[in-house]
Amino acid sequence: MKAHDGIYLDGAWRPAAGRDVIEVVDPVGEQVIARVPAGDAVDVDAAVRAARAALPGWAATPPADRAARLTALRDVLAARKDEIAETVTAELGSPLAFSQAVHAAVPIAVAGSYAELAATHPFEEKVGNSTVFQEPVGVVGAITPWNYPLHQIVAKVAPALAAGCTVVLKPAEDTPLTAQLFAEAVHEAGVPAGVLNLVTGLGPVAGQALVEHPGVDLVSFTGSTAVGRRIAATAGAAVKKVALELGGKSANVILPSADLARAVNVGVANVMSNSGQTCSAWTRMLVHRDRYDEAVELAAAAAAKYADRIGPVVNAAQRDRVRGYIEKGVAEGARLVAGGPDSPRERGYFVSPTVFADVTPDMAIAQEEIFGPVLSVLRYEDEEDALRIANGTVYGLAGAVWAGDEAEAVAFARRMETGQVDINGGRFNPLAPFGGYKQSGVGRELGAHGLAEYLQTKSLQF
């Protein structure tokens, strides 16, 4: 795979100060396919300085001109869609069709949405005898995960650029090639030098340096709740703004009036998507006791169909972690009805699509984020019991409700402690705010709410 041997700094690829490298491993073949620099604190400092130098000019650029650069970025990404998909497949292991349909297509749509918002958002308004301005918050430190490598980058960088911020991007070490491709696209789109800077590196080194840097005004992070807590504590000491999109343990609530077969099949597909490496996946399926056995049978049959469809998880550590949770579920007394901890292939970081029945709300597999193709099916007695179980974790990122009557599903969803709920299989909306309640995070991404994270407010009174 093509890889740059430097960092993208102030509009050009330059040698990294750090001497170490990161090996990019193909999760299917377990072979090293590329090497990129492991940037250090010196590289981060240079990137932040470049971003600060570019900030006044970019912040003063008219919104229509920023929109034009984002439109150009969308067009470059669209022109390189196949290359994006192939790159994601190489370093994440995602099947190529899924990489084309999701990993490449969704970020293109999101970039386009922010081009439109940059052109139409009211950055200035009259309120009584005041004029209220929305101004860029400043330099953004964006730290992105590996599970949706381009989408998570675009969901942070595009609104930051639309707002007039400049960015230092530290992507996940497992998927740096996609981030390098994105930097190439930004360059090709004519975004001015220093507006985006890319430092590949390890979280405890480059990531920590970025969070701690006094020249960073906002840290936008997507990843685990444990790391999010540490980032919030560090940023809080400097009274630095944070946007955190963290873990999830989302409930898929199937009410008695629902179309059970459809709800179960869509629910299983949701969990198996991206090999289960989705923070918003509906990993807890809640079914009324009268239809529970039927639902378990349907879920087991549906999961079996994914045995040859899903790709591996990202690396050996993640594979072992997911298998460990499967073993823990068995030890806790859950009933394995599909899959299991044994490897389905001799090579690659594959995990069998797995379904557990007889799961109780207190089990680890019902409380903790597994981040693999593992579904827990839980039984509930009545609607209040279902609500108690659905809200009974520290997370609140997403969820789903199914019912024969849409109003019934909406009434239940309004009582769920979660940031986003799909009603009867509602489609993904790139303009809808995405983010969580409780320990699933702080702030929102996507659409106008995502843009607001990168703005601060000033009022002038006359």
Side-chain angles (χ1 to χ4, degrees), residues 262-330:
R262 180 166 180 258
V264 170
N265 284 324
V266 173
V268 170
N270 175 276
V271 172
M272 301 305 159
S273 177
N274 208 38
S275 302
Q277 300 170 124
T278 304
C279 53
S280 57
W282 311 332
T283 52
R284 295 180 298 145
M285 181 179 289
L286 279 55
V287 185
H288 189 271
R289 62 181 182 182
D290 291 344
R291 310 193 73 185
Y292 184 81
D293 291 341
E294 182 184 356
V296 168
E297 185 177 342
L298 287 168
K305 298 176 182 178
Y306 286 89
D308 296 323
R309 295 184 190 176
I310 64 173
V313 295
V314 69
N315 56 38
Q318 185 65 16
R319 176 199 61 196
D320 295 345
R321 181 178 187 273
V322 176
R323 289 182 185 173
Y325 269 107
I326 296 172
E327 292 169 350
K328 184 179 292 186
V330 173

Side-chain angles (χ1 to χ4, degrees), residues 34-48:
R35 292 174 175 85
V36 301
D40 60 14
V42 174
D43 296 307
V44 169
D45 180 65
V48 173

Side-chain angles (χ1 to χ4, degrees), residues 202-214:
L202 302 178
V205 180
Q208 184 171 334
L210 188 58
V211 173
E212 293 177 346
H213 201 291

Side-chain angles (χ1 to χ4, degrees), residues 64-152:
D65 292 345
R66 298 200 296 261
R69 292 305 98 215
L70 285 167
T71 298
L73 175 60
R74 179 205 62 194
D75 293 345
V76 172
L77 293 174
R80 301 180 70 171
K81 181 179 178 180
D82 290 342
E83 184 183 359
I84 292 168
E86 291 166 1
T87 302
V88 174
T89 291
E91 59 184 356
L92 183 63
S94 170
L96 185 58
F98 188 81
S99 293
Q100 292 169 334
V102 177
H103 288 296
V106 171
I108 293 167
V110 172
S113 75
Y114 279 113
E116 294 180 12
L117 275 169
T120 60
H121 184 78
F123 290 96
E124 177 182 337
E125 63 176 334
K126 291 290 292 183
V127 180
N129 66 307
S130 301
T131 300
V132 179
F133 297 90
Q134 293 187 5
E135 300 178 341
V137 72
V139 173
V140 174
I143 302 175
T144 57
W146 44 261
N147 59 325
Y148 289 91
L150 184 59
H151 169 64
Q152 293 290 349

